[in-house]
Amino acid sequence: MIKSALDLRFISGFILAHLLMYFTFSDKAVFWYFFTATMLLLICFVVARDKLDDKLSLFKYLFIGILSGVLLYFLFWIGNQLIELFNIPVTKQISKLYKHFGPDLFWHYLALILVIVPGEEIFWRGFIQKKLLSLTSNGVSIILSSLMYASVHIYSDQFMLPFAAFVAGLFWSWLYAWRRSMPLVIVSHLVYDLFLFVLMPLR
C-alpha cells in the first residue's frame, strides 16, 4: 500500500509539473510570473511530505557547488564556441531563448535565486531522482530523471531548451547521485545561472 501510494504521488507530481510548465510557457508576456508560481507549488508539493538530503558540510557543498557550477558553464561555453566555429544553424534559436525566457528585470533575478533554482533542484533531484534512486541504479536514475527534467521544456517550442536541460540535468543528477546533497546541487545551479545570465551570457 505504501509503495503504491508513493508511486501514485511520483506519477501525479510528474503530471503536475507538466501541466504547470505547459501554462508557464503558454504566454511569454507572463512567463516569469507563471514560472515563479510553478516552482513555489512544486516546492510545496515536495517539502510537505519529503525530507531533503543534506549530507555535506557547509564548506564542502559550497566548494564543490561553486566549482561544479563554473565547470558546467564552461562546458556550455565550449559547446557554444563549437556551434559558432562550425556554423551550426542554432544561433538564432539561442538568441530567442535569451530574449523570450532570460531574466531582464531585478525581480526576475530575485525569483531565480530565491525560488526557481531551488525549486527546480528540490523537485527534479530531491523528489523525482530520489524516488528513482530508491528503485533503480545510479546510472538509470541519472538518465531517467534528466529525460523527465528535459521533457517539461518541450512547451517552449525551442528544441535547444530541452536539449540544454537534458545536458544540465545529467550533470546535476550525477552530482546529486554522487553526494546526495540538496544544498550542493542548488549552489551548482545558482553559479551556473549566474555565469549564464549575468557574468558571461552566451548571447
Side-chain angles (χ1 to χ4, degrees), residues 91-112:
T91 53
K92 287 184 179 179
Q93 191 169 127
I94 296 172
S95 296
K96 279 184 181 179
L97 287 173
Y98 270 92
K99 181 181 178 181
H100 294 156
F101 306 120
D104 57 8
L105 298 175
F106 179 70
W107 79 265
H108 293 172
Y109 292 96
L110 279 181
L112 190 72

Side-chain angles (χ1 to χ4, degrees), residues 55-189:
K55 297 187 177 181
L56 290 179
S57 66
L58 175 65
F59 174 78
K60 282 186 177 180
Y61 78 66
L62 284 177
F63 177 75
I64 299 172
I66 292 169
L67 190 63
S68 61
V70 172
L71 174 61
L72 180 62
Y73 169 80
F74 278 102
L75 287 175
F76 273 82
W77 183 85
I78 291 168
N80 188 61
Q81 297 303 305
L82 292 174
I83 285 170
E84 293 184 352
L85 180 64
F86 294 105
N87 199 27
I88 300 171
V90 296
T91 53
K92 287 184 179 179
Q93 191 169 127
I94 296 172
S95 296
K96 279 184 181 179
L97 287 173
Y98 270 92
K99 181 181 178 181
H100 294 156
F101 306 120
D104 57 8
L105 298 175
F106 179 70
W107 79 265
H108 293 172
Y109 292 96
L110 279 181
L112 190 72
I113 293 167
L114 299 176
V115 178
I116 293 168
V117 168
E120 285 197 316
E121 292 309 319
I122 287 169
F123 184 79
W124 294 107
R125 260 57 73 180
F127 173 65
I128 294 293
Q129 187 185 0
K130 186 176 182 178
K131 175 62 177 174
L132 291 171
L133 278 165
S134 71
L135 300 172
T136 64
S137 66
N138 281 0
V140 171
S141 77
I142 289 168
I143 294 169
L144 286 180
S145 62
S146 300
L147 285 170
M148 294 171 78
Y149 176 54
S151 71
V152 298
H153 293 81
I154 60 173
Y155 306 113
S156 67
D157 293 327
Q158 306 285 338
F159 80 88
M160 282 298 292
L161 189 56
F163 175 74
F166 177 68
V167 174
L170 285 174
F171 185 85
W172 289 318
S173 295
W174 166 78
L175 204 59
Y176 180 73
W178 175 44
R179 287 298 191 177
R180 299 291 183 92
S181 172
M182 188 50 51
L184 166 61
V185 289
I186 290 173
V187 169
S188 180
H189 196 152

Side-chain angles (χ1 to χ4, degrees), residues 20 23-25 27-41 105 107-108 111 115-116:
L20 292 172
F23 288 111
T24 294
F25 284 112
D27 187 347
K28 297 179 182 68
V30 293
F31 169 78
W32 280 92
Y33 296 97
F34 275 65
F35 199 16
T36 305
T38 289
M39 287 303 112
L40 282 171
L41 286 170
L105 298 175
W107 79 265
H108 293 172
V115 178
I116 293 168

Side-chain angles (χ1 to χ4, degrees), residues 2-15:
I2 293 174
K3 186 174 181 180
S4 297
L6 285 173
D7 290 342
L8 180 60
R9 187 162 178 267
F10 177 81
I11 293 166
S12 62
F14 183 56
I15 292 171

